[in-house]
Amino acid sequence: MTYCEFVSIYPKTGEGYLYARKTFPAPLAYFVGWALFLGYTSSCAFYIASLSSYFNEFIWHAPIETLFGIIMLIGLCLLNIKGTEESGKFQIVVTAAKVLLLIWFVFGGMKYVDLQGVADRFSTDVVQIGSTAAMVFITFFGFSAIAASAGEVKDPVKNIPRAIFISMGVVTVLYTVVVLVVLFAGLTEYTEASMGEAAKKFLGPIGGYVIIAGAIFSMISASNASIMAGSRVVLSMSQLGHLPK
């Protein structure tokens, strides 16, 4: 809600850094800008690491485990250097593909519904639940990335708040049903590869690889969004004198 309000006041590139710069003394905004940039960098690293894990597990065991992730990172950086329009179009295509594949995965797992089995897995350990929540919290950071690119969007005052609410709703629903469906698979071990293993059970070998591709698309799109948003924060900092032009 706060981000939506600030976008309507300052419909420009930079999100949290820009809002802090307009509200607090410049030195504080400087640290906010760096915190956001490091946050996006960490997010991107998280997704690139997961991307490498999936690629090595299901497609090809590279001699260097992070090789595919490094290649993809370089490619995404070059795409963003080319321009935000190109990066945005790429983002739309990849995101649409991953959502469709996730929906297919969910429908494939519906015939294995076992609500009692899911209920049995719930823990009463508050610390364990809290640590898990902290791990997945990063996936909801996307609303910030949307606001970061306000300067690249047509009619940001109207479109950015809509995009924030729609994306948060879609992410929450998809995240919940995907986790439930993975639990329906009755796996004995839950790792980065769990979703791929569940997909093989639900959809067979071919369907499994398609869903693995969907997971890879998901990580690529999340990495691209982090790079794009981080670059917008740095751009805003340079425009307002906190980094070289």
Side-chain angles (χ1 to χ4, degrees):
M1 293 291 287
T2 304
Y3 264 72
C4 292
E5 183 177 6
F6 270 116
V7 167
S8 69
I9 301 170
Y10 307 114
K12 298 178 181 178
T13 291
E15 57 117 348
Y17 164 75
L18 176 64
Y19 311 151
R21 186 67 187 272
K22 297 290 187 179
T23 311
F24 298 105
L28 178 59
Y30 176 79
F31 288 108
V32 171
W34 273 106
L36 285 168
F37 176 67
L38 292 173
Y40 285 122
T41 305
S42 300
S43 296
C44 186
F46 177 86
Y47 299 127
I48 289 293
S50 297
L51 178 64
S52 296
S53 176
Y54 259 81
F55 190 83
N56 275 277
E57 182 73 25
F58 294 106
I59 299 177
W60 179 57
H61 290 279
I64 303 172
E65 187 175 346
T66 57
L67 179 62
F68 182 72
I70 292 170
I71 292 171
M72 185 55 63
L73 179 61
I74 293 171
L76 292 174
C77 287
L78 292 174
L79 176 65
N80 279 272
I81 290 170
K82 175 70 175 173
T84 52
E85 184 177 356
E86 290 82 359
S87 179
K89 289 179 179 178
F90 173 80
Q91 189 73 1
I92 290 169
V93 171
V94 175
T95 301
K98 75 174 181 182
V99 169
L100 289 172
L101 290 171
L102 284 172
I103 291 171
W104 183 22
F105 169 73
V106 168
F107 274 101
M110 285 302 176
K111 58 186 176 184
Y112 292 89
V113 172
D114 179 14
L115 294 179
Q116 184 58 48
V118 173
D120 292 341
R121 285 176 171 79
F122 271 92
S123 169
T124 56
D125 189 333
V126 176
V127 175
Q128 217 174 36
I129 293 171
S131 64
T132 304
M135 173 67 78
V136 301
F137 179 78
I138 195 172
T139 63
F140 288 86
F141 195 46
F143 74 86
S144 174
I146 295 171
S149 302
E152 319 295 335
V153 176
K154 294 178 181 178
D155 196 0
V157 174
K158 181 175 72 174
N159 290 325
I160 293 292
R162 286 181 178 181
I164 287 174
F165 277 105
I166 291 171
S167 67
M168 291 289 281
V170 170
V171 167
T172 301
V173 171
L174 272 180
Y175 210 108
T176 302
V177 295
V178 166
V179 169
L180 285 173
V181 168
V182 171
L183 287 173
F184 293 156
L187 303 178
T188 57
E189 184 179 3
Y190 295 93
T191 64
E192 288 284 355
S194 295
M195 187 174 165
E197 295 295 339
K200 286 182 179 179
K201 178 176 180 179
F202 298 152
L203 304 170
I206 296 176
Y209 276 109
V210 171
I211 298 303
I212 291 163
I216 290 175
F217 285 159
S218 179
M219 294 164 201
I220 290 172
S221 69
S223 302
N224 186 54
S226 299
I227 293 169
M228 189 176 189
S231 71
R232 299 302 91 189
V233 173
V234 171
L235 174 62
S236 184
M237 293 180 74
S238 70
Q239 290 172 338
L240 296 175
H242 270 159
L243 286 174
K245 289 185 178 180

